[in-house]
Amino acid sequence: MAKLFQHGTLAMLVDGLFGGTLTAEALLEHGDFGIGTAEGLDGEVIILDGVAYQALADGSVRILEPEAMLPFADVNQADFEGHVVLPEIEMSEVDATLAKELSYQNTFVAIKISGLFSRVQTRVVKGQQRPYPTLSETAAKQQIFDAQNIKGTVVGYYSPKLFHGASVAGMHLHFIDDQHQFGGHLLDFKADQVKLSWQILDGIDLSLPIKDSEFMKHQASDVRDIQQSIAESE
């Protein structure tokens, strides 16, 4: 079975450690499917079929350059072992729908949903400059985008509560359309006739930026503060 490769932690982003510490090229050596964000919290990264796309706050989507730096990302080698075709599904129903197919609450699961979406709402954070704000402070600067009747793919993960802080407990989903012109962090969707695929991951390979002096000297926030900040930014 495959493992989840994660660079950085969500707790780092909560405290404003937005500096890039891994190149896109190096990240893609560990997987061809995943999500993340670029240096400075600049947009939302969606990795699909081995290509890293960056959804930007101006509404555009571009391919991330190999030398682009990321502070946080999750990837795995896609090998989806299960799927179900659904006539319709909403974002709030993904957890319960997946639970009908398998038991997964204590492990990581890669999730892919492809097909026709009658409604999609995403958000994208504008790139920040040093001195970086905290994650919750960027929430007021995020851009909200809506699309209707669009074909595309949901890319993301379920992470168990045990790892909250290292990652987002529960569902963390991004979206990109088939034309690679619309994407971002998913806030909501309603889909018609889609294929929900899953891949159970049997562990996590956590990469920490130990050569980054800012990270090595940083005193992390209290766990409760981290949880609150995550909730405010979602």
Side-chain angles (χ1 to χ4, degrees):
M1 294 183 73
K3 294 185 184 298
L4 174 69
F5 175 85
Q6 179 172 302
H7 180 72
T9 70
L10 190 63
M12 292 166 51
L13 298 185
V14 165
D15 285 349
L17 295 184
F18 301 158
T21 49
L22 185 71
T23 66
E25 182 177 32
L27 177 67
L28 292 175
E29 293 177 0
H30 297 276
D32 56 8
F33 178 92
I35 57 178
T37 188
E39 184 169 40
L41 212 68
D42 189 11
E44 307 292 336
V45 174
I46 307 101
I47 300 163
L48 184 62
D49 299 325
V51 180
Y53 301 95
Q54 182 184 19
L56 298 168
D58 64 3
S60 65
V61 177
R62 66 186 181 190
I63 294 177
L64 204 59
E65 295 293 335
E67 65 272 14
M69 302 295 288
L70 300 93
F72 176 85
D74 285 318
V75 296
N76 70 282
Q77 296 292 346
D79 185 17
F80 293 95
E81 70 264 18
H83 73 270
V84 60
V85 176
L86 302 168
E88 61 181 12
I89 186 174
E90 297 187 19
M91 184 170 173
S92 61
E93 300 169 338
V94 172
D95 201 341
T97 302
L98 197 60
K100 293 178 182 178
E101 305 295 332
L102 72 161
S103 178
Y104 63 91
Q105 66 178 356
N106 290 319
T107 192
F108 294 90
V109 183
I111 298 167
K112 179 181 179 182
I113 307 173
S114 299
L116 176 63
F117 295 76
S118 58
R119 175 174 52 84
V120 176
Q121 185 175 73
T122 63
R123 66 117 164 108
V124 181
V125 175
K126 183 178 180 181
Q128 307 296 305
Q129 303 296 322
R130 292 182 182 276
Y132 293 132
T134 63
L135 183 62
S136 60
E137 289 172 338
T138 67
K141 303 176 182 178
Q142 65 185 9
Q143 301 296 313
I144 307 297
F145 299 98
D146 293 281
Q148 292 79 37
N149 300 318
I150 187 170
K151 290 184 178 180
T153 302
V154 174
V155 174
Y157 296 93
Y158 168 85
S159 298
K161 292 181 180 180
L162 178 64
F163 290 89
H164 190 55
S167 58
V168 180
M171 300 289 172
H172 185 181
L173 307 175
H174 289 191
F175 179 85
I176 188 164
D177 76 314
D178 285 355
Q179 303 303 313
H180 309 144
Q181 297 177 348
F182 177 89
H185 174 96
L186 264 173
L187 295 178
D188 197 14
F189 74 77
K190 182 176 181 180
D192 303 310
Q193 196 63 33
V194 293
K195 181 179 179 181
L196 166 62
S197 303
W198 60 84
Q199 179 179 356
I200 295 178
L201 305 170
D202 66 352
I204 180 171
D205 181 0
L206 181 58
S207 166
L208 297 176
I210 61 172
K211 294 183 180 179
D212 183 76
S213 60
E214 186 177 16
F215 167 76
M216 293 299 285
K217 295 176 182 178
H218 180 70
Q219 295 293 324
S221 295
D222 181 85
V223 172
R224 292 183 180 179
D225 293 335
I226 292 173
Q227 293 174 337
Q228 181 177 349
S229 294
I230 293 172
E232 291 173 352
S233 64
E234 284 295 298

